[in-house]
């Protein structure tokens, strides 16, 4: 398996937007021999330049923030405009959305860690726990 670069992530984002998640995962498994394509997808969602929009379930391809840092000569010489006051409720709503996203990502990471040790079969009503791996990784098992 070769290392996936940031340039390749943009191509994968286009595949995701046009053909969907299943096709992206198939491409990663077959062409790039990626065993866990969910990790690549998580990396794509974290990439700021790709700009994943949860509501649209698509990548929006933002330009890097560093390009907007400096003012042009025309902007510097333009007459001063009054400052627009930001609505406090809009700021609070974006904070809550960001917090919800963070919580979902943390829960997803914990469930992924648990899935290494626990396998649950709903149809047979059985739970298989790999005790040796748990104990080797430093966990204690306490049964009630």
């Amino acid at each position: 398996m070769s290392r996936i670069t940031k340039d390749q992530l943009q191509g994968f984002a286009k595949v995701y937007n046009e053909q969907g998640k299943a096709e992206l995962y198939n491409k990663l498994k077959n062409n790039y021999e990626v065993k866990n394509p969910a990790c690549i997808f998580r990396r794509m969602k974290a990439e700021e330049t790709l700009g994943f929009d949860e509501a649209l379930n698509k990548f929006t391809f933002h330009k890097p923030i560093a390009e907007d840092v400096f003012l042009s000569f025309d902007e510097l010489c333009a007459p001063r405009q009054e400052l627009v006051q930001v609505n406090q409720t809009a700021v609070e709503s974006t904070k809550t959305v960001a917090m919800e996203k963070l919580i979902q990502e943390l829960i997803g990471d914990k469930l992924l860690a648990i899935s290494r040790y626990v396998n649950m079969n709903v149809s047979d009503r059985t739970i298989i726990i790999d005790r040796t791996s748990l104990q080797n990784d430093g966990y204690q098992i306490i049964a009630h």
Side-chain angles (χ1 to χ4, degrees):
M1 180 178 85
S2 62
R3 173 101 170 110
I4 308 258
T5 64
K6 287 186 179 184
D7 297 332
Q8 290 173 318
L9 291 179
Q10 286 188 344
F12 296 149
K14 289 177 184 173
V15 169
Y16 179 84
N17 286 347
E18 296 167 1
Q19 300 170 2
K21 186 185 254 187
E23 184 62 33
L24 172 67
Y25 280 20
N26 286 337
K27 184 175 183 178
L28 287 170
K29 285 180 181 178
N30 297 333
N31 298 349
Y32 295 91
E33 299 176 2
V34 174
K35 293 181 182 176
N36 190 0
C39 292
I40 301 295
F41 184 66
R42 194 175 318 124
R43 186 173 147 205
M44 289 168 59
K45 285 172 69 174
E47 184 65 37
E48 290 182 26
T49 58
L50 297 179
F52 186 72
D53 188 353
E54 294 283 341
L56 297 175
N57 195 23
K58 291 192 177 223
F59 293 96
T60 56
F61 302 104
H62 297 299
K63 60 182 178 180
I65 296 172
E67 293 178 10
D68 294 335
V69 173
F70 299 104
L71 296 174
S72 68
F73 185 73
D74 294 332
E75 291 173 325
L76 286 172
C77 295
R80 185 174 171 185
Q81 297 177 353
E82 292 186 29
L83 297 175
V84 178
Q85 293 182 349
V86 178
N87 188 357
Q88 188 64 23
T89 57
V91 172
E92 289 176 4
S93 66
T94 57
K95 286 181 182 178
T96 57
V97 168
M99 186 58 125
E100 286 294 324
K101 184 178 177 183
L102 175 66
I103 289 171
Q104 288 178 355
E105 287 180 10
L106 290 173
I107 290 172
D109 290 343
K110 292 295 181 183
L111 288 174
L112 185 63
I114 290 171
S115 70
R116 288 188 230 154
Y117 308 110
V118 178
N119 186 4
M120 186 175 196
N121 191 345
V122 179
S123 62
D124 295 344
R125 294 187 173 261
T126 58
I127 298 175
I128 301 169
I129 301 172
D130 188 0
R131 296 178 111 184
T132 54
S133 293
L134 275 170
Q135 291 172 345
N136 288 342
D137 290 344
Y139 290 100
Q140 295 179 349
I141 300 172
I142 301 171
H144 287 257

